[in-house]
Amino acid sequence: MGLFRRNKVWWMTFIHQGQQVRRSTGTTDRRLAEAILGKIRVKIVEGRFFDTLEAKDHTFNDMMDRYLKERSITKAPASRQRDEQCLAHLRDAFGPLTLAEITPKLLAAYKAKRRETAKPATVNKELGLVRHGFNVAIREWEWCRDNPMQRVCMETVRNERDRWISSEEEGRLLANSAPWLQDMIVFALNTGMRRGEILNLQWQAVDLIRQVLVVMRSKNGEKRTVPLNGRLVELLRRKSTRQAKGAFVFSSAASTLVDARNLTRSFRLAAKKAQLIDVRFHDLRHTFATRLAQAGVDLYKVQRLLGHKSAAMTQRYAHHSPESLREGVLILERIHPEISQNYHREVATVGECCASA
């Protein structure tokens, strides 16, 4: 392991695993070059130097190209599409940079700039993709050792949207929708399923005899069983006899998967014709949960029907369920009925005395 000079710049050379490695020290000062060489010796002993070399040999584009081929390909179609949309912005900022050059400072600057034109949730999706890409590059590919996203805070997302549609709005929406869209709206309002879950639903996952369907792969990666009410059983039986039996329950005219963007576009057009303000297809899922809560259905059941992993996600509907909470306080009267009866008797007596006075 030693130094040699090339065009006035000092280079270091050494043998690693039978191969000769040459790297520039980046300086024309021999003493500084010797100091750098000493530092490299320590890093080699600690096993950190060649991790740094890998991080300098691979660019952000290299990492994300491999990520798309090996990891994104296993995701649902909508998730793959979202990854590609996020990368359209990320490649412009980091594409040619090596992994070693991408620092928390650069990522924080990117976050601040994107905040000017994108919503916090969008920025978080992009930063989350970077974080996952680096994690895979560290654990599986051994391209680097450090994930710069570990020292970058995500944006604060205020998920306070509570838009749900009334029965009157539902009628207007259905009246202004094409028949195929009407079926999907009714289905969403009666199952609370996500857009992607509805689009990817296949006939093999539907059991009309037991009146249930199985969401084979939900957002959290788990299966869940969804019961069907009479309205949906009738809808599915009608579809099964009316359309050519393709794989998908809600399919295009060619019996293929309906494009999510076409569904969104058609829904927005129908909502505009129905004069509904600020409503999205996902709000049908909120409507399903809100109606259950307003009817007094226990929030645990709502959680299971929605496929939420934690109860905290379902708490947003708690303020819609005062009747289910009322049952909890009324039970106190049943525990000590004599106390409650005496109280009401005393109140009645006081009322009579005030009236006679």
Side-chain angles (χ1 to χ4, degrees):
M1 190 172 192
L3 293 170
F4 68 94
R5 191 162 61 177
R6 177 188 293 170
N7 296 330
K8 297 184 180 181
V9 177
W10 289 97
W11 286 61
M12 52 189 174
T13 177
F14 49 88
I15 303 297
H16 177 71
Q17 295 182 349
Q19 293 185 347
Q20 188 174 39
V21 178
R22 291 189 178 92
R23 285 291 185 275
S24 172
T25 64
T27 180
T28 57
D29 187 327
R30 183 178 177 85
R31 288 187 178 180
L32 181 57
E34 289 174 347
I36 293 172
L37 180 60
K39 190 175 181 179
I40 296 303
R41 282 195 178 103
V42 174
K43 284 189 175 182
I44 291 175
V45 171
E46 293 177 349
R48 294 186 291 117
F49 178 68
F50 290 97
D51 291 330
T52 305
L53 287 183
E54 287 275 19
K56 289 182 178 178
D57 288 341
H58 297 287
T59 65
F60 179 83
N61 279 335
D62 293 337
M63 178 177 73
M64 298 317 301
D65 286 342
R66 185 171 178 181
Y67 180 90
L68 288 177
K69 291 178 181 177
E70 297 184 11
R71 300 306 296 266
S72 188
I73 195 67
T74 64
K75 298 180 182 180
S79 297
R80 293 201 302 270
Q81 188 179 67
R82 185 184 63 207
D83 286 350
E84 292 172 356
Q85 291 171 345
C86 289
L87 280 176
H89 297 281
L90 293 169
R91 289 186 192 275
D92 289 341
F94 307 112
L97 297 180
T98 66
L99 301 184
E101 291 173 324
I102 299 175
T103 62
K105 181 179 179 180
L106 283 180
L107 289 166
Y110 173 82
K111 179 178 69 171
K113 181 139 185 88
R114 280 292 285 149
R115 192 187 297 141
E116 298 173 1
T117 56
K119 294 181 179 179
T122 301
V123 177
N124 283 348
K125 287 174 183 176
E126 294 171 3
L127 294 177
L129 181 60
V130 175
R131 180 174 57 192
H132 196 206
F134 267 100
N135 282 339
V136 174
I138 292 169
R139 292 195 305 261
E140 299 183 13
W141 308 334
E142 297 182 354
W143 280 7
C144 53
R145 176 167 291 197
D146 181 49
N147 187 338
M149 271 302 301
Q150 290 179 341
R151 298 188 293 280
V152 179
C153 296
M154 304 294 274
E155 290 286 86
T156 300
V157 178
R158 291 179 174 82
N159 192 14
E160 298 172 352
R161 183 179 176 85
D162 191 26
R163 180 69 165 98
W164 53 281
I165 65 174
S166 65
S167 298
E168 186 270 337
E169 288 178 317
E170 176 187 346
R172 282 158 45 196
L173 180 62
L174 291 173
N176 287 276
S177 300
W180 68 270
L181 182 57
Q182 289 177 359
D183 287 347
M184 298 187 79
I185 291 172
V186 170
F187 201 83
L189 287 171
N190 286 271
T191 62
M193 289 169 61
R194 300 177 180 90
R195 182 187 65 177
E197 294 171 346
I198 296 174
L199 291 176
N200 288 283
L201 179 65
Q202 298 189 26
W203 283 110
Q204 63 184 16
V206 178
D207 188 339
L208 291 177
I209 296 177
R210 294 176 54 222
Q211 297 188 359
V212 297
L213 64 83
V214 178
V215 177
M216 303 303 293
R217 185 176 179 179
S218 63
K219 185 178 179 180
N220 56 35
E222 298 179 354
K223 290 184 181 180
R224 81 174 186 276
T225 301
V226 178
L228 302 172
N229 59 24
R231 189 178 183 185
L232 291 188
V233 170
E234 180 184 350
L235 184 153
L236 291 172
R237 281 177 177 160
R238 173 168 47 82
K239 286 185 68 66
S240 65
T241 56
R242 185 181 62 189
Q243 69 183 38
K245 205 69 173 284
F248 297 103
V249 174
F250 299 96
S251 58
S252 67
S255 298
T256 58
L257 184 69
V258 175
D259 186 82
R261 289 171 295 185
N262 290 339
L263 170 59
T264 299
R265 192 181 305 113
S266 299
F267 183 84
R268 286 176 179 170
L269 181 60
K272 184 177 181 179
K273 289 181 179 178
Q275 298 183 343
L276 300 186
I277 301 173
D278 187 30
V279 62
R280 306 172 305 182
F281 190 86
H282 193 74
D283 294 327
L284 302 180
R285 177 172 164 86
H286 295 320
T287 302
F288 167 81
T290 299
R291 289 177 178 178
L292 291 181
Q294 289 175 340
V297 176
D298 183 81
L299 285 183
Y300 174 74
K301 293 179 181 178
V302 177
Q303 175 190 343
R304 296 298 301 273
L305 288 169
L306 291 174
H308 285 164
K309 259 192 169 182
S310 67
M313 301 175 69
T314 320
Q315 284 302 311
R316 63 188 299 181
Y317 304 105
H319 68 284
H320 289 294
S321 57
E323 293 306 315
S324 63
L325 300 177
R326 189 187 307 279
E327 187 177 323
V329 296
L330 290 179
I331 199 171
L332 297 177
E333 290 188 346
R334 294 197 291 271
I335 293 176
H336 298 292
E338 68 285 355
I339 296 178
S340 178
Q341 290 171 2
N342 291 337
Y343 168 74
H344 289 299
R345 196 176 296 118
E346 290 175 6
V347 171
T349 302
V350 171
E352 291 174 359
C353 291
C354 291
S356 59

